[in-house]
Amino acid sequence: MKPEYPPRLLLRELTPEDAENFYKLNENPNVTRYTGDGAFDSIEHARVFLENYQDYILNGYGRWAVINKQDKQFIGWCGLKYDEMKGETDIGFRFFEQQWNKGYATESAKVCLDYGFKHLNLKRIIGRAMKDNIGSIKVLQKIGLVYEKDVLFDGKQAVLYSIEQ
C-alpha cells in the first residue's frame, strides 16, 4: 500500500540510486547536527548502506525518499522506523538545508503518521529530538505528537513526543 501523497511531494522507498543524494544530505554538518549521525565516507558507502537497508523487508515499512513533485528532485527523507529492541516505531525526517522552513517535513510526516495508523495499524508512534533542535520539535508538535518526557539520545539531552491512535 502506497502513501497518499501531499500536494507538493512524492514519497517512495529509498533505493541504492539515492546514494549520491543520501551522501550529500549527511555531508552538511547543519543537517546532521542533532541526529547523532555523521557523514558517509563516500558515495559508495552511502550506496552500500542503502543496499543493505532491510527495514522494508523486516518490518514492512521504513524511511522514504521525499521528492519534490515540481522538479522531481530528492529533497530529503521522512518515514517510520521500528526499533526491535524497544518495541516502538518512531517518525524521523531529514531534509537538505535549502529545503528547511518550507513545510516539507510537516507535510511528509503527516502522510507517514496517517500511513502508520491507517495501513499498518500501529497504535503508537514516537518522535525524538535533541532539546536544542527547535525546528524538529515544532514539526513533531504540528503533526500532533505530544511531549511525553525528557530522555537521553546518543548521550545528549533530548525530548520524547508521542501520539496514539
Side-chain angles (χ1 to χ4, degrees), residues 8 12 29 32 39 49 54 75 86 88 107 110 122 129 133:
R8 303 184 296 165
R12 62 160 172 76
T32 59
F49 173 85
Q54 297 292 308
I75 60 172
K86 295 180 179 176
E88 60 191 12
E107 281 182 42
K110 282 180 181 177
L122 299 175
N133 191 349

Side-chain angles (χ1 to χ4, degrees), residues 1 9 11 14 19 25 50 64 70 94 126 130 153 158 161:
M1 177 65 78
L9 307 172
L11 283 74
L14 293 162
L25 184 63
L50 292 168
W64 286 325
Q70 188 173 0
R94 190 173 303 171
I126 64 151
M130 303 291 183
F153 184 62
Y161 278 70

